[in-house]
C-alpha cells in the first residue's frame, strides 16, 4: 500500500545544531515527493520538491530510492525554522498523500 | 489576489446535521482537493478534482460528498455529521496535481 511515514512526532534541537527530519515512503511507482511546512498561524505551504533539487531556506532533501527515503536536512537550525513539517507523496492517480508530520522545535 | 478561500472558519454542529464547507480559488487552478487534519495523523485526502465536472475519492471519502461545477469552487458536503468528523478541514488547489498546492486557512469543525 502507498504510505508516507514520518517516525518522529517531535524533534527538538538547539539553535545552530544540524537538523534531519525523516521521511520514508512506500510506493511501487516512480515517486514524486514534497516537503510542506506550516509555521504558527500561517497556511501550509510548499517548502521544496525533489525534482527541483534546490535548497530553500537552507533546507535540502535528497531522494534515496534504495532506502525509499526523502529526509529533510539543514546544517544549522534557526529559531524561525520551528514549525510543523509534512512529507508528501504524489501518486500516479493524482492523489497527494501526506505523512503524519513532525513538529520541529528549535530552542535558543 | 485572495488565493484559496475557505468558509466558514469555525463551525459547531450537532450529530446528524448536514453542512457544506465552501472552498473557492481565484487562480484558475484545475486541481483542487480536500484534506482533514487530525492530531497524530497528518493530513488525509478526502476527495479531489482534476477539473470541472471531474471528482474522485481520496483516502477517507466516507461521509463526504463533493461536486465541481465550476473551476473556481469545490464545496465539501457532510450529509449527516458524526462526532468522528470533528477535525480541521483544508482545501487546496494547484495548476495540476504535480504543482505546488496552495492551501486555505482551514475550517475547524466540531460535531457534538
Amino acid at each position: 500500500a502507498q504510505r508516507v511515514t514520518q517516525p518522529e512526532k517531535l524533534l527538538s534541537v538547539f539553535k545552530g545544531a544540524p537538523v534531519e527530519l525523516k521521511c520514508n515512503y512506500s510506493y511501487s511507482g516512480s515517486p514524486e515527493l514534497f516537503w510542506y511546512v506550516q509555521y504558527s498561524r500561517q497556511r501550509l505551504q510548499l517548502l521544496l520538491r525533489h525534482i527541483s533539487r534546490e535548497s530553500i531556506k537552507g533546507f535540502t532533501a535528497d531522494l534515496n530510492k534504495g532506502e525509499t527515503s526523502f529526509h529533510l536536512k539543514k546544517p544549522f537550525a534557526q529559531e524561525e525554522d520551528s514549525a510543523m513539517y509534512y512529507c508528501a507523496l504524489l501518486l500516479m492517480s493524482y492523489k497527494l498523500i501526506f505523512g503524519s508530520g513532525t513538529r520541529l522545535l528549535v530552542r535558543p | 489576489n485572495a488565493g484559496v478561500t475557505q468558509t466558514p472558519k469555525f463551525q459547531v454542529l450537532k450529530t446528524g446535521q448536514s453542512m457544506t464547507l465552501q472552498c473557492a480559488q481565484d487562480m484558475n487552478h484545475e486541481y483542487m482537493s480536500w484534506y482533514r487534519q487530525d492530531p497524530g495523523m497528518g493530513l488525509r485526502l478526502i476527495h479531489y478534482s482534476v477539473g470541472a465536472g471531474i471528482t474522485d475519492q481520496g483516502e477517507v471519502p466516507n461521509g463526504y460528498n463533493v461536486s465541481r461545477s465550476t473551476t473556481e469552487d469545490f464545496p465539501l458536503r457532510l450529509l449527516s455529521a458524526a462526532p468522528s468528523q470533528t477535525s480541521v478541514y483544508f482545501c487546496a488547489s494547484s495548476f495540476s496535481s504535480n504543482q505546488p498546492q496552495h492551501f486555505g486557512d482551514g475550517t475547524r469543525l466540531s460535531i457534538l
Side-chain angles (χ1 to χ4, degrees):
Chain A
Q2 303 97 342
R3 186 168 57 246
V4 177
T5 302
Q6 293 180 250
E8 303 139 329
K9 286 191 182 343
L10 172 67
L11 183 63
S12 179
V13 302
F14 286 103
K15 177 182 173 181
V19 169
E20 183 179 54
L21 299 166
K22 291 185 168 49
C23 172
N24 288 91
Y25 66 92
S26 173
Y27 184 46
S28 57
S30 182
E32 191 159 351
L33 288 145
F34 305 79
W35 276 99
Y36 280 81
V37 61
Q38 188 173 28
Y39 300 103
S40 180
R41 302 182 191 282
Q42 293 188 26
R43 297 182 178 191
L44 197 66
Q45 59 188 283
L46 178 71
L47 181 62
L48 53 79
R49 51 194 302 194
H50 90 272
I51 61 170
S52 60
R53 300 185 65 80
E54 57 190 345
S55 174
I56 304 293
K57 298 185 179 182
F59 284 97
T60 58
D62 291 317
L63 176 61
N64 185 324
K65 291 186 178 181
E67 296 183 357
T68 60
S69 68
F70 187 56
H71 303 329
L72 184 68
K73 299 177 184 179
K74 184 169 183 176
F76 307 104
Q78 303 299 314
E79 289 181 68
E80 55 265 30
D81 295 328
S82 295
M84 195 75 182
Y85 291 81
Y86 292 97
C87 183
L89 168 67
L90 180 65
L91 308 178
M92 289 294 288
S93 56
Y94 308 107
K95 296 179 185 179
L96 183 66
I97 61 173
F98 285 78
S100 56
T102 298
R103 182 168 296 282
L104 175 64
L105 178 61
V106 181
R107 300 175 184 272
Chain B
N1 186 352
V4 178
T5 303
Q6 289 184 238
T7 56
K9 292 194 186 313
F10 305 94
Q11 184 69 50
V12 179
L13 294 177
K14 293 182 179 177
T15 297
Q17 286 185 311
S18 63
M19 160 149 208
T20 299
L21 307 186
Q22 302 291 345
C23 175
Q25 51 89 12
D26 59 1
M27 297 172 282
N28 203 30
H29 285 170
E30 291 293 327
Y31 187 87
M32 295 186 75
S33 52
W34 275 102
Y35 294 88
R36 58 177 290 174
Q37 184 183 44
D38 301 291
M41 303 188 76
L43 282 86
R44 290 182 292 169
L45 182 64
I46 305 172
H47 285 285
Y48 66 100
S49 169
V50 298
I54 306 169
T55 64
D56 206 346
Q57 296 182 348
E59 301 169 273
V60 289
N62 291 342
Y64 307 95
N65 278 356
V66 291
S67 60
R68 185 92 181 271
S69 55
T70 67
T71 299
E72 294 77 20
D73 300 299
F74 191 43
L76 178 72
R77 280 183 288 277
L78 283 72
L79 299 178
S80 178
S84 60
Q85 294 178 303
T86 293
S87 187
V88 181
Y89 290 85
F90 287 98
C91 179
S93 74
S94 60
F95 281 111
S96 61
S97 60
N98 64 349
Q99 294 301 308
Q101 301 272 312
H102 296 254
F103 283 82
D105 286 328
T107 295
R108 188 174 295 276
L109 183 63
S110 293
I111 299 165
L112 307 177

